[in-house]
Amino acid sequence: MAIKPGFSDFMIVNEDIRIAYYYIPNPELYDFRPEELIGTSPLQQYQNLYYEDSTLVRAVSKGETTKDCVQELVTLRGNRIRQKSDTFPVRNGDRIIGAIELAYYDYGYSKVDDNENDDIRNAGAPLKVEDFLGKSREMKELRKKYRKVASLDSPVLITGETGTGKEMSARILHNESGRSEKGKFVYVNCSAIPENLIEGILFGIRPGSFTDAEEKKGLFEEASGGTLFLDELDSTPLITQGKILRAIEERRIRPVGADREIPVDIRIIASCSTPPDKIIKGNRIRNDLYYRLSVVQFELPPLREKREDIDLLCRAFIDELNSKGSGRNIRYADRAFRDFAMKYSWPGNVRELRNAVTGAYYEAEGDVLRFDDIRDRFFLEEGEDSEEHSFLEEYRETGEDLKGFINMKTAEYIRSNLKAADGDVRRAAEAMNITVKSLNYSMDKYGIRP
């Protein structure tokens, strides 16, 4: 659906990518008042806006100017907003000190209730088990397990690095269950919600609970009959986790300011980016909640551990883009492109691969995706190619098995970026074009400390 010209938002962020000024002529599109946003990250406004995809982040960290960027964003309460935006870095001499974004909408056109749609980021038919693509042993085992547990009503815990498909897994489990006929799939990114707002968003608000409080239905109520997916659950306060546990066990919730509880009939699926063996040790999640959720548990492997799936995924992404009526028809990716894809570590996993293919698709001048179409994305100099960066000779010399070798090279890559950033995890994550959370996950996994 195209974006029509209309009213605009105006946002300024500082060099720490925190909102310094925000003009919203139509606040009913959002979950916050403008004054509540000052000093927060723009990523906190939306459930589906990630660090590596934000035009504001790229403007500040890389000096990129982005024009006519069409996005479909999901607010914390599940409302979908379609926008077109222009983003510009702000410089003081050679130094980037912030960024400005203008976003354009149209009345009655941009705001859509997310929960009226089964899958807002995967348009078309609802996702099924066979849509979780991959020919690797890990993917075959995951699909088999999905089919076994989809019809159960027990809670599910999904772990894995950012971009591995945790939300997609949750949607598949909902769509393959009887709950898809009775209720909605409701998604919430817990890490994007400020601590002082999370209970109201999850459990609802009743009038009189605080000054100017209006009645708002919580996401537990929205999901009644269906499935509630709590993404990044380990980022929620422990006191809120206790209330989530009680809601799971008793199937009742008490909205903020209410004098009585109300029944809810939902299935809870939760995700954590923290590795399973670190979840409890790091005090990120209550022991009792973890044990209640992990009755059924999925651990999604990173893309670097199932490289035999990369060609299949690239082909699927190209076919998907061809089917969207863009006027292009890309036949295949060239050998250099595929070689690079097979050897690159993909710290952002399947999401990063999809973004790389999509970027190359729209850069391509002919009907073939070429390695040159993504060279700039990975900061490779002219004349460098995938053969020159091949690790095959080194792999043969080490005598390691492939998985052990990949783990070794990944750990080396992380250490080198941390060293270049003087141990600053945030700067290292920016240099690697991944989220801080994803870098912390990998550091935990490989036992790396700054």
Side-chain angles (χ1 to χ4, degrees), residues 179-376:
R179 287 188 170 272
S180 62
E181 303 295 324
K182 299 191 303 177
K184 304 171 183 177
F185 177 92
V186 176
Y187 166 91
V188 59
N189 183 349
C190 298
S191 67
I193 304 176
E195 287 189 14
N196 61 322
L197 299 177
I198 191 164
E199 289 193 18
I201 287 175
L202 291 178
F203 303 117
I205 298 171
R206 295 296 180 260
S209 55
F210 54 85
T211 306
D212 298 329
E214 299 177 1
E215 179 151 353
K216 289 187 178 178
K217 188 182 287 189
L219 297 181
F220 271 79
E221 289 180 80
E222 290 281 353
S224 195
T227 303
L228 176 60
F229 177 47
L230 301 171
D231 197 10
E232 307 288 1
L233 176 65
D234 49 330
S235 66
T236 59
L238 295 178
I239 189 169
T240 305
Q241 291 181 23
K243 295 180 180 181
I244 292 170
L245 174 63
R246 189 164 183 268
I248 294 172
E249 292 183 334
E250 300 184 10
R251 293 181 175 266
R252 303 183 71 82
I253 62 167
R254 185 189 295 272
V256 176
D259 57 5
R260 65 181 131 191
E261 296 180 330
I262 57 174
V264 288
D265 171 26
I266 57 173
R267 183 188 196 182
I268 293 288
I269 301 178
S271 82
C272 297
S273 291
T274 310
D277 60 332
K278 307 285 186 183
I279 289 176
I280 295 178
K281 290 179 184 176
N283 258 350
R284 299 289 300 277
I285 192 169
R286 289 171 56 119
N287 289 17
D288 47 5
L289 179 57
Y290 172 76
Y291 294 129
R292 186 72 180 86
L293 289 170
S294 60
V295 173
V296 177
Q297 185 170 343
F298 291 88
E299 184 175 3
L300 305 186
L303 189 55
R304 62 183 174 274
E305 293 181 5
K306 51 188 185 80
R307 291 178 182 270
E308 59 267 48
D309 293 337
I310 290 175
D311 262 348
L312 176 65
L313 290 167
C314 285
R315 181 68 259 171
F317 297 150
I318 291 170
D319 290 344
E320 179 186 342
L321 290 162
N322 283 337
S323 71
K324 289 185 175 179
S326 65
R328 293 170 175 263
N329 185 33
I330 300 295
R331 293 186 296 122
Y332 60 88
D334 71 8
R335 174 61 64 87
F337 188 110
R338 298 200 309 274
D339 284 350
F340 175 80
M342 289 295 290
K343 292 161 190 170
Y344 180 60
S345 62
W346 298 110
N349 294 293
V350 178
R351 183 188 298 121
E352 185 183 9
L353 176 62
R354 177 189 285 275
N355 289 344
V357 171
T358 302
Y361 184 92
Y362 289 111
E363 289 287 335
E365 295 183 358
D367 60 358
V368 175
L369 292 194
R370 304 188 185 281
F371 178 61
D372 285 345
D373 297 330
I374 60 169
R375 186 187 303 278
D376 289 345

Side-chain angles (χ1 to χ4, degrees), residues 68-112:
D68 296 330
C69 176
V70 177
Q71 292 176 295
E72 194 167 67
L73 300 169
V74 183
T75 72
L76 302 183
R77 289 190 179 277
N79 289 324
R80 180 167 44 137
I81 297 175
R82 296 186 182 120
Q83 71 172 37
K84 179 185 282 188
S85 62
D86 297 335
T87 310
F88 310 90
V90 177
R91 290 182 168 88
N92 182 5
D94 294 333
R95 179 183 163 206
I96 297 174
I97 59 171
I100 296 174
E101 180 177 87
L102 285 168
Y104 306 92
Y105 311 87
D106 183 45
Y107 272 118
Y109 192 77
S110 294
K111 183 176 179 181
V112 183

